């Protein structure tokens, strides 16, 4: 017989029918309605050319042909179960590399607890964190398969991806605690100060500039760096200031740096976790994703707010 013409799910139904010797009970055991279970029995009878179950005064009874099938049927189902178990390995036995990307200030937030979790639960999973060059590039890499996951701002390229919101981020101004502008921090004085801009592409404009342009204003950009991790040390030793996501300063502890509310409101953003649906069945990638979500929830409960001026 050509197996392509056989519905192997019927073997599971046959096993339940022979165990229960009752169509309705077998159906309930498998989550099938009584009509569906009866239909499956009729198809099994046609498949094997035998009634399989006969009605007696005591109820349904397996035919001699059905009884002869039981040992081979049980062996086939047990073999199928073992095959599926091998196809779905235990988390602790997986040896795999998961590639992901996260804006650099997320590294101290996510990586240490993620490594600790993997060491305990999935020691064979290794991580590769790709350099951050912006949300669009990161999510495009996930879409193309170059990355498995991205912790990112939502971007147009994310429409094809699964998306899980992690937390909302807001902006603060980072400056040294004894900065001369700290006590009289007006909009005019803020814009006159040299600003640090963070850009993985070397761009001298960011989230603030669009808000300023709408008011016919601009700022002085004194330094462009590729990493948020460098900002606290830079502002701690200079008169430069920086508009940064609020979680930057707690992530990079730097004495003598304080956070001020910006004199001009700047819209925050949502940080989420993106992955392609093709990874839904990848146990290693989905475990890392679940741990990232867990770590983000813990960070929200204990955000470790930066010191306010």
């Amino acid at each position: 017989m050509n197996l392509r013409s056989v519905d192997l799910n019927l073997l599971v139904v046959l096993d339940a029918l022979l165990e229960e010797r009752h169509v309705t009970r077998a159906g309930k055991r498998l989550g099938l309605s009584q009509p569906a279970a009866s239909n499956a029995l009729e198809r099994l009878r046609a498949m094997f050319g035998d009634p399989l179950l006969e009605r007696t005064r005591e109820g349904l009874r397996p035919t001699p042909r059905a009884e002869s099938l039981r040992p081979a049927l049980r062996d086939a189902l047990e073999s199928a179960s073992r095959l599926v178990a091998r196809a779905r390995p235990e988390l602790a036995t997986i040896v795999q590399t998961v590639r992901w990307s996260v804006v650099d200030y997320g590294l101290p937030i996510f990586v240490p607890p993620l490594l600790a979790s993997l060491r305990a639960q999935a020691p064979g999973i290794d991580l590769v964190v790709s350099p951050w060059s912006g949300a669009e590039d990161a999510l495009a890499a996930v879409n193309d398969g170059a990355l498995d996951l991205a912790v990112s701002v939502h971007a147009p390229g994310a429409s094809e991806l699964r998306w899980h919101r992690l937390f909302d981020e807001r902006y603060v101004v980072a400056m040294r605690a004894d900065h001369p502008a700290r006590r009289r921090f007006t909009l005019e004085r803020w814009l006159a100060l040299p600003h640090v801009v963070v850009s993985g592409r070397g761009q001298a404009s960011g989230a603030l500039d669009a808000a300023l342009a709408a008011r016919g204003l601009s700022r002085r950009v004194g330094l462009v760096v590729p990493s948020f991790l460098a900002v606290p040390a830079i502002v701690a030793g200079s008169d430069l200031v920086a508009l940064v996501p609020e979680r930057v300063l707690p992530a990079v502890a730097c004495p003598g740096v304080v956070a001020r509310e910006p004199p001009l409101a700047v819209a925050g953003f949502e940080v989420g976790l993106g992955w392609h649906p093709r990874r839904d069945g990848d146990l290693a990638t989905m475990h890392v994703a679940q741990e990232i979500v867990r770590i983000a929830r813990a960070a929200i409960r204990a955000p470790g707010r930066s010191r306010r001026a």
Side-chain angles (χ1 to χ4, degrees):
M1 178 180 289
N2 187 345
L3 282 178
R4 287 181 296 180
S5 65
V6 177
D7 182 356
L8 297 179
N9 289 319
L10 290 175
L11 299 183
V12 178
V13 179
L14 177 59
D15 181 62
L17 287 166
L18 296 181
E19 285 288 333
E20 298 291 343
R21 301 189 180 195
H22 194 283
V23 175
T24 301
R25 286 201 302 268
K28 287 183 178 179
R29 174 172 159 180
L30 299 175
L32 299 176
S33 65
Q34 194 278 336
S38 295
N39 179 264
L41 176 58
E42 291 305 316
R43 293 172 65 192
L44 284 162
R45 285 168 169 166
M47 179 190 300
F48 289 102
D50 187 86
L52 298 176
L53 290 170
E54 296 177 318
R55 190 170 299 281
T56 69
R57 297 173 68 178
E58 290 79 24
L60 294 178
R61 181 180 63 188
T63 66
R65 169 75 167 141
E67 289 288 1
S68 71
L69 291 173
R70 295 188 76 170
L73 174 63
R74 182 50 53 88
D75 287 345
L77 294 177
E78 288 179 354
S79 295
S81 296
R82 288 194 296 270
L83 177 62
V84 172
R86 289 175 183 170
R88 189 71 172 176
E90 294 294 327
L91 188 61
T93 67
I94 290 177
V95 177
Q96 187 174 327
T97 297
V98 175
R99 299 179 180 275
W100 61 302
S101 184
V102 55
V103 66
D104 62 354
Y105 76 88
L107 293 175
I109 296 173
F110 289 103
V111 172
L114 182 54
L115 288 177
S117 170
L118 293 179
R119 186 168 60 249
Q121 302 180 53
I125 296 180
D126 296 325
L127 302 175
V128 173
V129 183
S130 294
W132 180 261
S133 59
E136 290 190 18
D137 286 351
L139 296 175
V142 171
N143 196 47
D144 294 341
L147 292 176
D148 302 306
L149 300 165
V151 177
S152 172
V153 180
H154 205 276
S159 59
E160 301 296 322
L161 305 180
R162 307 274 194 230
W163 183 259
H164 185 97
R165 177 185 166 275
L166 297 177
F167 53 78
D168 292 325
E169 188 65 277
R170 62 191 293 270
Y171 284 105
V172 297
V173 177
M175 64 192 322
R176 60 186 172 92
D178 58 349
H179 198 291
R182 175 182 172 185
R183 297 301 176 194
R184 195 172 60 85
F185 196 54
T186 63
L187 176 61
E188 182 180 9
R189 195 169 189 190
W190 178 41
L191 297 182
L193 294 170
H195 288 227
V196 183
V197 170
V198 177
S199 171
R201 298 178 177 179
Q203 297 172 329
S205 61
L208 174 60
D209 297 283
L212 291 174
R215 296 181 171 222
L217 301 173
S218 63
R219 60 173 169 168
R220 175 189 168 194
V221 175
L223 177 67
V224 178
V225 295
S227 170
F228 281 111
L229 298 178
V231 170
I234 291 170
V235 300
S238 71
D239 283 343
L240 278 78
V241 295
L243 187 75
V244 297
E246 188 174 27
R247 286 180 172 83
V248 168
L249 298 186
V252 188
C254 189
V257 177
V258 296
R260 292 292 307 263
E261 293 294 330
L264 176 69
V266 181
F269 53 92
E270 175 185 299
V271 175
L273 177 65
W275 70 93
H276 196 279
R278 74 172 74 92
R279 294 288 190 264
D280 284 349
D282 184 335
L283 182 58
T285 298
M286 289 297 95
H287 177 71
V288 172
Q290 289 166 8
E291 288 303 295
I292 289 172
V293 171
R294 179 187 63 78
I295 292 165
R297 287 174 178 165
I300 292 171
R301 288 195 297 270
R305 296 290 190 194
S306 55
R307 182 184 163 201
R308 298 304 179 98

